[in-house]
Amino acid sequence: MTVPPAIVTLGVGALDTARRVQALYDGAQVHGLQGRVNEADIAYTELGAHLRELYASGTPIVALCAAGIVIRCVAPLLSNKGGEPPVLAVAEDGSAVVPLLGGLSGVNAMAREIAGALDVPPAITTSGELRFGACVLNPPEGYALASLDHGKRFVSDLLAGEATRIEGDAPWLDDVQLPRVDNARRTIRVTPLAWSGATDELVIHPRSVVVAVHASATGDNLHERVLEAARVQGLAAPSLAVLLAPASQIGDPVLRDVADALHVALRFAADSEAASNAADMLRQTLRVPHTAFVTDAPIAFAAAHAPLDPATVGRARGKLSVVGLGPGDASLMVPAARAALTQATDILGYDTYVKMAGPFRAEQRVHGTDNREEMQRARHAFELASAGHHVAMVSSGDPGVFAMAAAVLEALDEAHADAHRAAWSAVELEIVPGVSAAFATAAQAGAPLGHDFCVLSLSDNLKPWTVIETRLRHAAEADLVMAFYNPISRARPWQLDRALDIVRDLRAPSTVVVLGRDIGRPGATLKTTTLAELQSSDVDMRTMVIIGSTTTRAFNAAEPRRTWVYTPRWYA
Ligand code: SAH
């Protein structure tokens, strides 16, 4: 399964069963109703909206609640049968497993898996499944059906009493109780070759073909030319598994687009400089025995005997995702960050943040480090990524705010002058933003950043203290709200008091101040005070300090009792 299921719970009574289901699927997470299931990995606020969002994004759903609730929630979206993810209802005590939707995306196979783990029989109602013990129209990963409409007719013929034979390698059908007869007129054919249209055949394509594109083939209409070349060779497009290109073209965006359009993995042939044509590239790169389809052309094909694991063909373009985790709570992490963490082969960062980003799967390598040398960490990330790994480099909050993104770009900028240049520039680099501590703290307090503001790091590790003093004075004079990052630490004990002295010269003692400590993390505290009362002993290195402007206001709300802080949008 490519996307791990969301295991959705409504009450704590379902947690035991949810965790047992979770153990079956790498990367699966337990979703819990906020305020009711706080032990869950991901919190949601409204079941209907949450299930619809998961369904629409194609995420398999295992809902630990009544089948009727699930059906009602996703009902508005149930029109396109082809594109639906598996949806199952599981009784919260694990006594029933009911596949509801996604017959063609493997819901019955999931129902069997989950029921097996819970030691109950799955409630399967699909005729073909019941008769044959598996859905012939839902081949396992690595295989694709040539035509769904035609396949449905083929299966109804079998249900009506027709027999079939099997041609080609279909190991998963060995356990299926199909009406098999060696000389049957009907045939299930497993082949990379295109379906002829014969109605007595069910054609299933193994994703077993590598298409190699020599440097001389790149240019306009590559997608169409690959499809045309495949057609000339009699190959079916769904059989394609890998687009193999020369390593010298590793950064070419056209190749990425073509691979995406073909739904294949993009891999690179290492020694392609020596290859005089595409077939040479295939010969030098493929380790498995295969059948070659073209020998002397800029586009060539090779078919393996079984579905191919793209990871065994050549090497990937490396990727470096610089990821912001948000302040701490998983619900404040953007989905793109979660996706990068799920896809990464290697995770890099300061130990505390790597722990915050986990848990990770056993095959993901975690390079936690206490090393504060950021440039070294950035270079290490490029070394790993340029060797073909997908590296996620994690920062708390936003990676571009006093964090790793700038160090990563500095390392890349420096590399332009030296031997790493080509390899590091070929790495696909993405920066995934996060909710920065100032924003997370401001949201807790109300809207203190509702008007012009600035952010300042009070750390003089990488800039002279005089620069900080000048900026503080200018910001205070300009009546900006100020958010202080890195306000104080054991190595920098006096700087905060000095900074406050400067601000106090220019702002009234009654100026509103917000202190947020460990916001979004266990034991978070939020305090509203004034510039006069603020003491540096109220602040530590896990605190965000927001100093209001002359217009920033604090007021008490009666129910529930609390203080709101905001800076009006207008100016007097
Ligand atoms: N990239 C981070 C900032 C790193 S600098 C971000 O965008 O949030 C580290 C400083 O950020 C800390 O000294 C503290 O001032 C602030 N900070 C980080 N996480 C915080 C949190 N959860 N609560 C309050 N302040 C936090």
Side-chain angles (χ1 to χ4, degrees), residues 327 396-398 401-403 436-437 441 484-487 516-519 521 541-544:
S396 83
D398 182 275
V401 177
F402 310 123
S436 193
T441 302
F484 293 163
Y485 288 74
N486 300 311
R517 183 172 191 274
D518 277 341
I519 295 299
R521 302 179 190 172
M541 64 183 289
R542 285 146 64 182
T543 309
M544 163 59 47

mmCIF file with all atom_site columns, all heavy atoms in Angstrom, residues 327 396-398 401-403 436-437 441 484-487 516-519 521 541-544, ligand 1:
data_model
loop_
_atom_site.group_PDB
_atom_site.id
_atom_site.type_symbol
_atom_site.label_atom_id
_atom_site.label_alt_id
_atom_site.label_comp_id
_atom_site.label_asym_id
_atom_site.label_entity_id
_atom_site.label_seq_id
_atom_site.pdbx_PDB_ins_code
_atom_site.Cartn_x
_atom_site.Cartn_y
_atom_site.Cartn_z
_atom_site.occupancy
_atom_site.B_iso_or_equiv
_atom_site.pdbx_formal_charge
_atom_site.auth_seq_id
_atom_site.auth_comp_id
_atom_site.auth_asym_id
_atom_site.auth_atom_id
_atom_site.pdbx_PDB_model_num
ATOM   1   N N   . PRO A 1 327 ? 5.710  24.384 16.156 1.00 0.00 ? 327 PRO A N   1
ATOM   2   C CA  . PRO A 1 327 ? 6.209  24.534 17.529 1.00 0.00 ? 327 PRO A CA  1
ATOM   3   C C   . PRO A 1 327 ? 6.343  23.200 18.279 1.00 0.00 ? 327 PRO A C   1
ATOM   4   O O   . PRO A 1 327 ? 7.096  23.119 19.236 1.00 0.00 ? 327 PRO A O   1
ATOM   5   C CB  . PRO A 1 327 ? 5.151  25.425 18.182 1.00 0.00 ? 327 PRO A CB  1
ATOM   6   C CG  . PRO A 1 327 ? 3.923  25.258 17.354 1.00 0.00 ? 327 PRO A CG  1
ATOM   7   C CD  . PRO A 1 327 ? 4.395  25.007 15.958 1.00 0.00 ? 327 PRO A CD  1
ATOM   8   N N   . SER A 1 396 ? 12.699 23.191 14.308 1.00 0.00 ? 396 SER A N   1
ATOM   9   C CA  . SER A 1 396 ? 11.415 23.507 14.945 1.00 0.00 ? 396 SER A CA  1
ATOM   10  C C   . SER A 1 396 ? 10.873 24.774 14.288 1.00 0.00 ? 396 SER A C   1
ATOM   11  O O   . SER A 1 396 ? 11.612 25.517 13.636 1.00 0.00 ? 396 SER A O   1
ATOM   12  C CB  . SER A 1 396 ? 11.584 23.697 16.451 1.00 0.00 ? 396 SER A CB  1
ATOM   13  O OG  . SER A 1 396 ? 12.022 25.007 16.725 1.00 0.00 ? 396 SER A OG  1
ATOM   14  N N   . GLY A 1 397 ? 9.583  24.986 14.443 1.00 0.00 ? 397 GLY A N   1
ATOM   15  C CA  . GLY A 1 397 ? 8.977  26.191 13.887 1.00 0.00 ? 397 GLY A CA  1
ATOM   16  C C   . GLY A 1 397 ? 9.107  26.233 12.380 1.00 0.00 ? 397 GLY A C   1
ATOM   17  O O   . GLY A 1 397 ? 8.808  25.270 11.682 1.00 0.00 ? 397 GLY A O   1
ATOM   18  N N   . ASP A 1 398 ? 9.581  27.355 11.870 1.00 0.00 ? 398 ASP A N   1
ATOM   19  C CA  . ASP A 1 398 ? 9.827  27.499 10.440 1.00 0.00 ? 398 ASP A CA  1
ATOM   20  C C   . ASP A 1 398 ? 11.325 27.340 10.192 1.00 0.00 ? 398 ASP A C   1
ATOM   21  O O   . ASP A 1 398 ? 12.133 27.911 10.931 1.00 0.00 ? 398 ASP A O   1
ATOM   22  C CB  . ASP A 1 398 ? 9.366  28.884 9.979  1.00 0.00 ? 398 ASP A CB  1
ATOM   23  C CG  . ASP A 1 398 ? 9.566  29.044 8.488  1.00 0.00 ? 398 ASP A CG  1
ATOM   24  O OD1 . ASP A 1 398 ? 10.679 29.421 8.060  1.00 0.00 ? 398 ASP A OD1 1
ATOM   25  O OD2 . ASP A 1 398 ? 8.613  28.775 7.743  1.00 0.00 ? 398 ASP A OD2 1
ATOM   26  N N   . VAL A 1 401 ? 13.411 30.597 9.729  1.00 0.00 ? 401 VAL A N   1
ATOM   27  C CA  . VAL A 1 401 ? 13.493 31.608 10.789 1.00 0.00 ? 401 VAL A CA  1
ATOM   28  C C   . VAL A 1 401 ? 14.520 31.165 11.828 1.00 0.00 ? 401 VAL A C   1
ATOM   29  O O   . VAL A 1 401 ? 14.265 30.242 12.601 1.00 0.00 ? 401 VAL A O   1
ATOM   30  C CB  . VAL A 1 401 ? 12.100 31.815 11.447 1.00 0.00 ? 401 VAL A CB  1
ATOM   31  C CG1 . VAL A 1 401 ? 12.199 32.815 12.601 1.00 0.00 ? 401 VAL A CG1 1
ATOM   32  C CG2 . VAL A 1 401 ? 11.102 32.298 10.405 1.00 0.00 ? 401 VAL A CG2 1
ATOM   33  N N   . PHE A 1 402 ? 15.695 31.784 11.814 1.00 0.00 ? 402 PHE A N   1
ATOM   34  C CA  . PHE A 1 402 ? 16.795 31.454 12.737 1.00 0.00 ? 402 PHE A CA  1
ATOM   35  C C   . PHE A 1 402 ? 16.992 29.937 12.815 1.00 0.00 ? 402 PHE A C   1
ATOM   36  O O   . PHE A 1 402 ? 17.052 29.363 13.906 1.00 0.00 ? 402 PHE A O   1
ATOM   37  C CB  . PHE A 1 402 ? 16.533 32.038 14.132 1.00 0.00 ? 402 PHE A CB  1
ATOM   38  C CG  . PHE A 1 402 ? 16.161 33.497 14.102 1.00 0.00 ? 402 PHE A CG  1
ATOM   39  C CD1 . PHE A 1 402 ? 14.967 33.947 14.649 1.00 0.00 ? 402 PHE A CD1 1
ATOM   40  C CD2 . PHE A 1 402 ? 17.005 34.423 13.495 1.00 0.00 ? 402 PHE A CD2 1
ATOM   41  C CE1 . PHE A 1 402 ? 14.622 35.299 14.602 1.00 0.00 ? 402 PHE A CE1 1
ATOM   42  C CE2 . PHE A 1 402 ? 16.671 35.774 13.450 1.00 0.00 ? 402 PHE A CE2 1
ATOM   43  C CZ  . PHE A 1 402 ? 15.475 36.205 14.005 1.00 0.00 ? 402 PHE A CZ  1
ATOM   44  N N   . ALA A 1 403 ? 17.060 29.281 11.645 1.00 0.00 ? 403 ALA A N   1
ATOM   45  C CA  . ALA A 1 403 ? 17.152 27.822 11.646 1.00 0.00 ? 403 ALA A CA  1
ATOM   46  C C   . ALA A 1 403 ? 17.922 27.334 10.422 1.00 0.00 ? 403 ALA A C   1
ATOM   47  O O   . ALA A 1 403 ? 18.664 28.100 9.812  1.00 0.00 ? 403 ALA A O   1
ATOM   48  C CB  . ALA A 1 403 ? 15.755 27.234 11.720 1.00 0.00 ? 403 ALA A CB  1
ATOM   49  N N   . SER A 1 436 ? 6.024  29.260 12.874 1.00 0.00 ? 436 SER A N   1
ATOM   50  C CA  . SER A 1 436 ? 7.116  29.760 13.688 1.00 0.00 ? 436 SER A CA  1
ATOM   51  C C   . SER A 1 436 ? 6.636  30.080 15.113 1.00 0.00 ? 436 SER A C   1
ATOM   52  O O   . SER A 1 436 ? 5.456  30.359 15.333 1.00 0.00 ? 436 SER A O   1
ATOM   53  C CB  . SER A 1 436 ? 7.679  31.015 13.022 1.00 0.00 ? 436 SER A CB  1
ATOM   54  O OG  . SER A 1 436 ? 8.905  31.348 13.618 1.00 0.00 ? 436 SER A OG  1
ATOM   55  N N   . ALA A 1 437 ? 7.580  30.028 16.070 1.00 0.00 ? 437 ALA A N   1
ATOM   56  C CA  . ALA A 1 437 ? 7.234  30.213 17.489 1.00 0.00 ? 437 ALA A CA  1
ATOM   57  C C   . ALA A 1 437 ? 6.486  31.519 17.731 1.00 0.00 ? 437 ALA A C   1
ATOM   58  O O   . ALA A 1 437 ? 5.560  31.571 18.549 1.00 0.00 ? 437 ALA A O   1
ATOM   59  C CB  . ALA A 1 437 ? 8.501  30.163 18.337 1.00 0.00 ? 437 ALA A CB  1
ATOM   60  N N   . THR A 1 441 ? 2.819  31.444 19.403 1.00 0.00 ? 441 THR A N   1
ATOM   61  C CA  . THR A 1 441 ? 2.615  32.158 20.668 1.00 0.00 ? 441 THR A CA  1
ATOM   62  C C   . THR A 1 441 ? 1.550  33.244 20.494 1.00 0.00 ? 441 THR A C   1
ATOM   63  O O   . THR A 1 441 ? 0.654  33.394 21.331 1.00 0.00 ? 441 THR A O   1
ATOM   64  C CB  . THR A 1 441 ? 3.949  32.798 21.132 1.00 0.00 ? 441 THR A CB  1
ATOM   65  O OG1 . THR A 1 441 ? 4.916  31.763 21.257 1.00 0.00 ? 441 THR A OG1 1
ATOM   66  C CG2 . THR A 1 441 ? 3.780  33.497 22.469 1.00 0.00 ? 441 THR A CG2 1
ATOM   67  N N   . PHE A 1 484 ? 10.951 38.450 20.270 1.00 0.00 ? 484 PHE A N   1
ATOM   68  C CA  . PHE A 1 484 ? 12.354 38.071 20.529 1.00 0.00 ? 484 PHE A CA  1
ATOM   69  C C   . PHE A 1 484 ? 12.516 36.562 20.499 1.00 0.00 ? 484 PHE A C   1
ATOM   70  O O   . PHE A 1 484 ? 11.925 35.845 21.313 1.00 0.00 ? 484 PHE A O   1
ATOM   71  C CB  . PHE A 1 484 ? 12.794 38.540 21.929 1.00 0.00 ? 484 PHE A CB  1
ATOM   72  C CG  . PHE A 1 484 ? 12.884 40.033 22.096 1.00 0.00 ? 484 PHE A CG  1
ATOM   73  C CD1 . PHE A 1 484 ? 12.917 40.567 23.375 1.00 0.00 ? 484 PHE A CD1 1
ATOM   74  C CD2 . PHE A 1 484 ? 12.974 40.884 21.011 1.00 0.00 ? 484 PHE A CD2 1
ATOM   75  C CE1 . PHE A 1 484 ? 13.003 41.945 23.567 1.00 0.00 ? 484 PHE A CE1 1
ATOM   76  C CE2 . PHE A 1 484 ? 13.062 42.266 21.190 1.00 0.00 ? 484 PHE A CE2 1
ATOM   77  C CZ  . PHE A 1 484 ? 13.067 42.793 22.470 1.00 0.00 ? 484 PHE A CZ  1
ATOM   78  N N   . TYR A 1 485 ? 13.344 36.076 19.584 1.00 0.00 ? 485 TYR A N   1
ATOM   79  C CA  . TYR A 1 485 ? 13.773 34.673 19.586 1.00 0.00 ? 485 TYR A CA  1
ATOM   80  C C   . TYR A 1 485 ? 15.092 34.610 20.342 1.00 0.00 ? 485 TYR A C   1
ATOM   81  O O   . TYR A 1 485 ? 15.802 35.616 20.450 1.00 0.00 ? 485 TYR A O   1
ATOM   82  C CB  . TYR A 1 485 ? 13.995 34.155 18.161 1.00 0.00 ? 485 TYR A CB  1
ATOM   83  C CG  . TYR A 1 485 ? 12.726 33.930 17.359 1.00 0.00 ? 485 TYR A CG  1
ATOM   84  C CD1 . TYR A 1 485 ? 11.998 34.995 16.853 1.00 0.00 ? 485 TYR A CD1 1
ATOM   85  C CD2 . TYR A 1 485 ? 12.272 32.641 17.091 1.00 0.00 ? 485 TYR A CD2 1
ATOM   86  C CE1 . TYR A 1 485 ? 10.842 34.784 16.106 1.00 0.00 ? 485 TYR A CE1 1
ATOM   87  C CE2 . TYR A 1 485 ? 11.121 32.425 16.347 1.00 0.00 ? 485 TYR A CE2 1
ATOM   88  C CZ  . TYR A 1 485 ? 10.404 33.501 15.854 1.00 0.00 ? 485 TYR A CZ  1
ATOM   89  O OH  . TYR A 1 485 ? 9.275  33.296 15.119 1.00 0.00 ? 485 TYR A OH  1
ATOM   90  N N   . ASN A 1 486 ? 15.450 33.421 20.822 1.00 0.00 ? 486 ASN A N   1
ATOM   91  C CA  . ASN A 1 486 ? 16.719 33.222 21.548 1.00 0.00 ? 486 ASN A CA  1
ATOM   92  C C   . ASN A 1 486 ? 16.941 34.333 22.575 1.00 0.00 ? 486 ASN A C   1
ATOM   93  O O   . ASN A 1 486 ? 18.001 34.974 22.582 1.00 0.00 ? 486 ASN A O   1
ATOM   94  C CB  . ASN A 1 486 ? 17.904 33.208 20.566 1.00 0.00 ? 486 ASN A CB  1
ATOM   95  C CG  . ASN A 1 486 ? 17.772 32.102 19.538 1.00 0.00 ? 486 ASN A CG  1
ATOM   96  O OD1 . ASN A 1 486 ? 17.506 30.948 19.888 1.00 0.00 ? 486 ASN A OD1 1
ATOM   97  N ND2 . ASN A 1 486 ? 17.934 32.434 18.268 1.00 0.00 ? 486 ASN A ND2 1
ATOM   98  N N   . PRO A 1 487 ? 15.970 34.592 23.471 1.00 0.00 ? 487 PRO A N   1
ATOM   99  C CA  . PRO A 1 487 ? 16.075 35.768 24.334 1.00 0.00 ? 487 PRO A CA  1
ATOM   100 C C   . PRO A 1 487 ? 17.203 35.672 25.360 1.00 0.00 ? 487 PRO A C   1
ATOM   101 O O   . PRO A 1 487 ? 17.766 36.706 25.737 1.00 0.00 ? 487 PRO A O   1
ATOM   102 C CB  . PRO A 1 487 ? 14.711 35.816 25.037 1.00 0.00 ? 487 PRO A CB  1
ATOM   103 C CG  . PRO A 1 487 ? 14.201 34.408 24.999 1.00 0.00 ? 487 PRO A CG  1
ATOM   104 C CD  . PRO A 1 487 ? 14.719 33.836 23.710 1.00 0.00 ? 487 PRO A CD  1
ATOM   105 N N   . GLY A 1 516 ? 5.486  33.290 25.922 1.00 0.00 ? 516 GLY A N   1
ATOM   106 C CA  . GLY A 1 516 ? 4.999  31.935 25.616 1.00 0.00 ? 516 GLY A CA  1
ATOM   107 C C   . GLY A 1 516 ? 6.154  30.979 25.809 1.00 0.00 ? 516 GLY A C   1
ATOM   108 O O   . GLY A 1 516 ? 7.221  31.160 25.230 1.00 0.00 ? 516 GLY A O   1
ATOM   109 N N   . ARG A 1 517 ? 5.945  29.951 26.659 1.00 0.00 ? 517 ARG A N   1
ATOM   110 C CA  . ARG A 1 517 ? 7.038  28.997 26.889 1.00 0.00 ? 517 ARG A CA  1
ATOM   111 C C   . ARG A 1 517 ? 6.583  27.605 26.464 1.00 0.00 ? 517 ARG A C   1
ATOM   112 O O   . ARG A 1 517 ? 5.494  27.172 26.814 1.00 0.00 ? 517 ARG A O   1
ATOM   113 C CB  . ARG A 1 517 ? 7.410  28.984 28.368 1.00 0.00 ? 517 ARG A CB  1
ATOM   114 C CG  . ARG A 1 517 ? 8.595  28.067 28.665 1.00 0.00 ? 517 ARG A CG  1
ATOM   115 C CD  . ARG A 1 517 ? 9.071  28.211 30.107 1.00 0.00 ? 517 ARG A CD  1
ATOM   116 N NE  . ARG A 1 517 ? 10.334 27.531 30.299 1.00 0.00 ? 517 ARG A NE  1
ATOM   117 C CZ  . ARG A 1 517 ? 10.427 26.235 30.587 1.00 0.00 ? 517 ARG A CZ  1
ATOM   118 N NH1 . ARG A 1 517 ? 9.351  25.495 30.742 1.00 0.00 ? 517 ARG A NH1 1
ATOM   119 N NH2 . ARG A 1 517 ? 11.615 25.671 30.718 1.00 0.00 ? 517 ARG A NH2 1
ATOM   120 N N   . ASP A 1 518 ? 7.412  26.928 25.664 1.00 0.00 ? 518 ASP A N   1
ATOM   121 C CA  . ASP A 1 518 ? 7.087  25.574 25.193 1.00 0.00 ? 518 ASP A CA  1
ATOM   122 C C   . ASP A 1 518 ? 5.707  25.513 24.550 1.00 0.00 ? 518 ASP A C   1
ATOM   123 O O   . ASP A 1 518 ? 4.975  24.543 24.730 1.00 0.00 ? 518 ASP A O   1
ATOM   124 C CB  . ASP A 1 518 ? 7.159  24.563 26.351 1.00 0.00 ? 518 ASP A CB  1
ATOM   125 C CG  . ASP A 1 518 ? 8.581  24.101 26.598 1.00 0.00 ? 518 ASP A CG  1
ATOM   126 O OD1 . ASP A 1 518 ? 9.419  24.266 25.685 1.00 0.00 ? 518 ASP A OD1 1
ATOM   127 O OD2 . ASP A 1 518 ? 8.849  23.597 27.697 1.00 0.00 ? 518 ASP A OD2 1
ATOM   128 N N   . ILE A 1 519 ? 5.372  26.530 23.796 1.00 0.00 ? 519 ILE A N   1
ATOM   129 C CA  . ILE A 1 519 ? 4.061  26.568 23.141 1.00 0.00 ? 519 ILE A CA  1
ATOM   130 C C   . ILE A 1 519 ? 3.936  25.368 22.184 1.00 0.00 ? 519 ILE A C   1
ATOM   131 O O   . ILE A 1 519 ? 4.869  25.043 21.460 1.00 0.00 ? 519 ILE A O   1
ATOM   132 C CB  . ILE A 1 519 ? 3.901  27.902 22.362 1.00 0.00 ? 519 ILE A CB  1
ATOM   133 C CG1 . ILE A 1 519 ? 3.884  29.076 23.345 1.00 0.00 ? 519 ILE A CG1 1
ATOM   134 C CG2 . ILE A 1 519 ? 2.649  27.901 21.491 1.00 0.00 ? 519 ILE A CG2 1
ATOM   135 C CD1 . ILE A 1 519 ? 2.750  29.071 24.359 1.00 0.00 ? 519 ILE A CD1 1
ATOM   136 N N   . ARG A 1 521 ? 3.843  22.361 23.095 1.00 0.00 ? 521 ARG A N   1
ATOM   137 C CA  . ARG A 1 521 ? 4.543  21.201 23.674 1.00 0.00 ? 521 ARG A CA  1
ATOM   138 C C   . ARG A 1 521 ? 3.950  20.913 25.050 1.00 0.00 ? 521 ARG A C   1
ATOM   139 O O   . ARG A 1 521 ? 3.270  21.771 25.625 1.00 0.00 ? 521 ARG A O   1
ATOM   140 C CB  . ARG A 1 521 ? 6.038  21.497 23.820 1.00 0.00 ? 521 ARG A CB  1
ATOM   141 C CG  . ARG A 1 521 ? 6.675  21.848 22.496 1.00 0.00 ? 521 ARG A CG  1
ATOM   142 C CD  . ARG A 1 521 ? 8.159  22.156 22.643 1.00 0.00 ? 521 ARG A CD  1
ATOM   143 N NE  . ARG A 1 521 ? 8.653  22.704 21.382 1.00 0.00 ? 521 ARG A NE  1
ATOM   144 C CZ  . ARG A 1 521 ? 9.855  23.222 21.211 1.00 0.00 ? 521 ARG A CZ  1
ATOM   145 N NH1 . ARG A 1 521 ? 10.705 23.265 22.213 1.00 0.00 ? 521 ARG A NH1 1
ATOM   146 N NH2 . ARG A 1 521 ? 10.216 23.696 20.034 1.00 0.00 ? 521 ARG A NH2 1
ATOM   147 N N   . MET A 1 541 ? 15.506 29.972 27.499 1.00 0.00 ? 541 MET A N   1
ATOM   148 C CA  . MET A 1 541 ? 15.751 29.811 26.059 1.00 0.00 ? 541 MET A CA  1
ATOM   149 C C   . MET A 1 541 ? 14.599 29.126 25.329 1.00 0.00 ? 541 MET A C   1
ATOM   150 O O   . MET A 1 541 ? 14.601 29.047 24.111 1.00 0.00 ? 541 MET A O   1
ATOM   151 C CB  . MET A 1 541 ? 17.061 29.068 25.809 1.00 0.00 ? 541 MET A CB  1
ATOM   152 C CG  . MET A 1 541 ? 17.073 27.646 26.320 1.00 0.00 ? 541 MET A CG  1
ATOM   153 S SD  . MET A 1 541 ? 18.666 26.859 26.081 1.00 0.00 ? 541 MET A SD  1
ATOM   154 C CE  . MET A 1 541 ? 18.669 26.648 24.318 1.00 0.00 ? 541 MET A CE  1
ATOM   155 N N   . ARG A 1 542 ? 13.587 28.614 26.087 1.00 0.00 ? 542 ARG A N   1
ATOM   156 C CA  . ARG A 1 542 ? 12.423 28.019 25.432 1.00 0.00 ? 542 ARG A CA  1
ATOM   157 C C   . ARG A 1 542 ? 11.250 28.995 25.434 1.00 0.00 ? 542 ARG A C   1
ATOM   158 O O   . ARG A 1 542 ? 10.110 28.597 25.227 1.00 0.00 ? 542 ARG A O   1
ATOM   159 C CB  . ARG A 1 542 ? 12.049 26.715 26.137 1.00 0.00 ? 542 ARG A CB  1
ATOM   160 C CG  . ARG A 1 542 ? 13.037 25.600 25.765 1.00 0.00 ? 542 ARG A CG  1
ATOM   161 C CD  . ARG A 1 542 ? 13.289 24.646 26.890 1.00 0.00 ? 542 ARG A CD  1
ATOM   162 N NE  . ARG A 1 542 ? 12.105 23.910 27.270 1.00 0.00 ? 542 ARG A NE  1
ATOM   163 C CZ  . ARG A 1 542 ? 12.078 23.033 28.274 1.00 0.00 ? 542 ARG A CZ  1
ATOM   164 N NH1 . ARG A 1 542 ? 13.163 22.810 28.990 1.00 0.00 ? 542 ARG A NH1 1
ATOM   165 N NH2 . ARG A 1 542 ? 10.974 22.396 28.561 1.00 0.00 ? 542 ARG A NH2 1
ATOM   166 N N   . THR A 1 543 ? 11.539 30.262 25.646 1.00 0.00 ? 543 THR A N   1
ATOM   167 C CA  . THR A 1 543 ? 10.472 31.266 25.739 1.00 0.00 ? 543 THR A CA  1
ATOM   168 C C   . THR A 1 543 ? 10.504 32.213 24.542 1.00 0.00 ? 543 THR A C   1
ATOM   169 O O   . THR A 1 543 ? 11.577 32.601 24.069 1.00 0.00 ? 543 THR A O   1
ATOM   170 C CB  . THR A 1 543 ? 10.644 32.100 27.031 1.00 0.00 ? 543 THR A CB  1
ATOM   171 O OG1 . THR A 1 543 ? 10.781 31.207 28.135 1.00 0.00 ? 543 THR A OG1 1
ATOM   172 C CG2 . THR A 1 543 ? 9.446  33.010 27.263 1.00 0.00 ? 543 THR A CG2 1
ATOM   173 N N   . MET A 1 544 ? 9.306  32.563 24.077 1.00 0.00 ? 544 MET A N   1
ATOM   174 C CA  . MET A 1 544 ? 9.129  33.586 23.053 1.00 0.00 ? 544 MET A CA  1
ATOM   175 C C   . MET A 1 544 ? 8.642  34.833 23.780 1.00 0.00 ? 544 MET A C   1
ATOM   176 O O   . MET A 1 544 ? 7.707  34.772 24.579 1.00 0.00 ? 544 MET A O   1
ATOM   177 C CB  . MET A 1 544 ? 8.073  33.077 22.064 1.00 0.00 ? 544 MET A CB  1
ATOM   178 C CG  . MET A 1 544 ? 7.451  34.096 21.154 1.00 0.00 ? 544 MET A CG  1
ATOM   179 S SD  . MET A 1 544 ? 8.612  34.979 20.110 1.00 0.00 ? 544 MET A SD  1
ATOM   180 C CE  . MET A 1 544 ? 9.600  33.647 19.480 1.00 0.00 ? 544 MET A CE  1
HETATM 181 N N1  . SAH B 2 .   ? 12.939 28.082 13.701 1.00 0.00 ? 1   SAH B N1  1
HETATM 182 C C1  . SAH B 2 .   ? 12.319 28.350 14.988 1.00 0.00 ? 1   SAH B C1  1
HETATM 183 C C2  . SAH B 2 .   ? 13.125 29.299 15.851 1.00 0.00 ? 1   SAH B C2  1
HETATM 184 C C3  . SAH B 2 .   ? 14.439 28.777 16.304 1.00 0.00 ? 1   SAH B C3  1
HETATM 185 S S1  . SAH B 2 .   ? 15.272 29.893 17.387 1.00 0.00 ? 1   SAH B S1  1
HETATM 186 C C4  . SAH B 2 .   ? 10.908 28.887 14.757 1.00 0.00 ? 1   SAH B C4  1
HETATM 187 O O1  . SAH B 2 .   ? 10.581 29.319 13.636 1.00 0.00 ? 1   SAH B O1  1
HETATM 188 O O2  . SAH B 2 .   ? 10.128 28.885 15.711 1.00 0.00 ? 1   SAH B O2  1
HETATM 189 C C5  . SAH B 2 .   ? 14.858 29.209 18.946 1.00 0.00 ? 1   SAH B C5  1
HETATM 190 C C6  . SAH B 2 .   ? 13.995 30.155 19.732 1.00 0.00 ? 1   SAH B C6  1
HETATM 191 O O3  . SAH B 2 .   ? 12.671 30.101 19.274 1.00 0.00 ? 1   SAH B O3  1
HETATM 192 C C7  . SAH B 2 .   ? 13.897 29.801 21.211 1.00 0.00 ? 1   SAH B C7  1
HETATM 193 O O4  . SAH B 2 .   ? 14.972 30.363 21.922 1.00 0.00 ? 1   SAH B O4  1
HETATM 194 C C8  . SAH B 2 .   ? 12.567 30.431 21.599 1.00 0.00 ? 1   SAH B C8  1
HETATM 195 O O5  . SAH B 2 .   ? 12.719 31.816 21.773 1.00 0.00 ? 1   SAH B O5  1
HETATM 196 C C9  . SAH B 2 .   ? 11.754 30.242 20.343 1.00 0.00 ? 1   SAH B C9  1
HETATM 197 N N2  . SAH B 2 .   ? 10.932 29.005 20.386 1.00 0.00 ? 1   SAH B N2  1
HETATM 198 C C10 . SAH B 2 .   ? 11.081 27.913 19.629 1.00 0.00 ? 1   SAH B C10 1
HETATM 199 N N3  . SAH B 2 .   ? 10.112 27.020 19.901 1.00 0.00 ? 1   SAH B N3  1
HETATM 200 C C11 . SAH B 2 .   ? 9.322  27.574 20.851 1.00 0.00 ? 1   SAH B C11 1
HETATM 201 C C12 . SAH B 2 .   ? 8.132  27.142 21.528 1.00 0.00 ? 1   SAH B C12 1
HETATM 202 N N4  . SAH B 2 .   ? 7.584  25.951 21.261 1.00 0.00 ? 1   SAH B N4  1
HETATM 203 N N5  . SAH B 2 .   ? 7.574  27.980 22.428 1.00 0.00 ? 1   SAH B N5  1
HETATM 204 C C13 . SAH B 2 .   ? 8.122  29.189 22.667 1.00 0.00 ? 1   SAH B C13 1
HETATM 205 N N6  . SAH B 2 .   ? 9.238  29.640 22.049 1.00 0.00 ? 1   SAH B N6  1
HETATM 206 C C14 . SAH B 2 .   ? 9.839  28.849 21.168 1.00 0.00 ? 1   SAH B C14 1
#
